[in-house]
Amino acid sequence: DIQMTQSPASLSASLEEIVTITCQASQDIGNYLSWYQQKPGKSPQLLIHSATSLADGVPSRFSGSRSGTQYSLKINRLQVEDTGIYYCLQHYSAPYTFGAGTKLELK
Amino acid sequence: QVQLKESGPGLVQPSQTLSLTCTVSGFSLTSNSVHWVRQPPGKGLEWVGAIWSGGSTDYNSALKSRLSISRDTSKSQVFLKMNSLQTEDTAIYFCTKFSYWYFDFWGPGTMVTVSS
């Protein structure tokens, strides 16, 4: 199975700060990587797909990048509504695997 | 519009079998895959398994021996059956539609508690 190592596990940042979350894949997964945000009591919502493509309706301060088997989610100018838990997902091959999640809070 | 809704028993006794139903609308099961994802209380998301548009299935390696996913296309329903339930299976179970590159629509989830 492909392992997705996500870091950090938690993050506290200030308004307008730049935040970066990373996922390291245990093998090549190409661009078969998406990012989701989950708010308490809600279903996850898509932010980024195909490693770098912004989902419809997602603010442009969110962006995704890839360097080899390392994938990053960057939030420029953090806003209050960006708090929540973020997950990466590899869908290169089944069984699909999520990263462990990053809890993002405001400082 | 696309909708998914999970339904199930809520409470299951240890060692018993869990049966969940995902009822979908707004899309065809023969053209899209539906996946199950679960989330234990306070923990992260875990991919459980999938039924593909052609009817084949894939499962989480750790759950494979206890898990079965099937569907009834005439009723637009996907079913999850997991046997030999343990307390560690206590979780919110989500069904979600996969759109080639991402999970685009999710159900609200159904809480399953394994307890005697």
Side-chain angles (χ1 to χ4, degrees):
Chain A
D1 296 1
I2 298 172
Q3 307 303 315
M4 300 301 297
T5 303
Q6 186 172 342
S7 61
S10 63
L11 184 51
S12 182
S14 302
L15 276 176
E16 304 287 317
E17 193 174 330
I18 298 173
V19 166
T20 301
I21 298 166
T22 63
C23 272
Q24 178 71 49
S26 61
Q27 66 181 73
D28 179 27
I29 60 169
N31 286 333
Y32 293 87
L33 187 285
S34 48
W35 290 95
Y36 300 83
Q37 178 196 60
Q38 189 180 30
K39 299 275 191 179
K42 299 292 187 181
S43 306
Q45 296 295 306
L46 177 71
L47 296 173
I48 300 286
H49 67 87
S50 310
T52 60
S53 297
L54 193 66
D56 291 345
V58 175
S60 59
R61 63 180 179 275
F62 290 90
S63 64
S65 63
R66 172 193 173 189
S67 177
T69 56
Q70 180 164 293
Y71 300 80
S72 298
L73 173 70
K74 184 177 175 182
I75 310 174
N76 281 313
R77 303 193 319 278
L78 187 69
Q79 302 298 300
V80 172
E81 59 267 29
D82 298 336
T83 59
I85 304 179
Y86 292 80
Y87 297 93
C88 63
L89 166 77
Q90 73 78 21
H91 61 93
Y92 176 78
S93 66
Y96 292 179
T97 40
F98 286 95
T102 296
K103 185 173 184 179
L104 176 59
E105 297 176 323
L106 273 178
K107 197 179 288 182
Chain B
Q1 71 278 25
V2 172
Q3 290 186 322
L4 301 93
K5 180 77 181 297
E6 309 86 353
S7 56
L11 179 66
V12 181
Q13 295 204 336
S15 80
Q16 296 302 300
T17 297
L18 170 66
S19 295
L20 296 177
T21 299
C22 174
T23 302
V24 311
S25 59
F27 68 96
S28 169
L29 293 178
T30 57
S31 300
N32 298 270
S33 64
V34 170
H35 299 232
W36 290 93
V37 173
R38 72 179 183 177
Q39 185 170 39
K43 296 191 177 180
L45 302 172
E46 180 181 32
W47 185 83
V48 172
I51 186 160
W52 304 97
S53 57
S56 62
T57 55
D58 276 300
Y59 300 125
N60 180 308
S61 300
L63 303 174
K64 196 170 187 176
S65 62
R66 304 192 286 132
L67 184 61
S68 174
I69 297 175
S70 59
R71 69 184 185 184
D72 184 334
T73 56
S74 67
K75 294 183 178 178
S76 294
Q77 291 181 321
V78 175
F79 309 105
L80 178 151
K81 286 193 189 314
M82 188 185 303
N83 59 33
S84 304
L85 246 61
Q86 301 302 318
T87 54
E88 308 86 79
D89 297 311
T90 293
I92 299 170
Y93 286 74
F94 298 96
C95 58
T96 175
K97 171 181 169 289
F98 190 71
S99 181
Y100 298 108
W101 290 97
Y102 46 84
F103 293 128
D104 55 355
F105 292 92
W106 295 71
T110 187
M111 181 69 204
V112 174
T113 301
V114 182
S115 175
S116 54

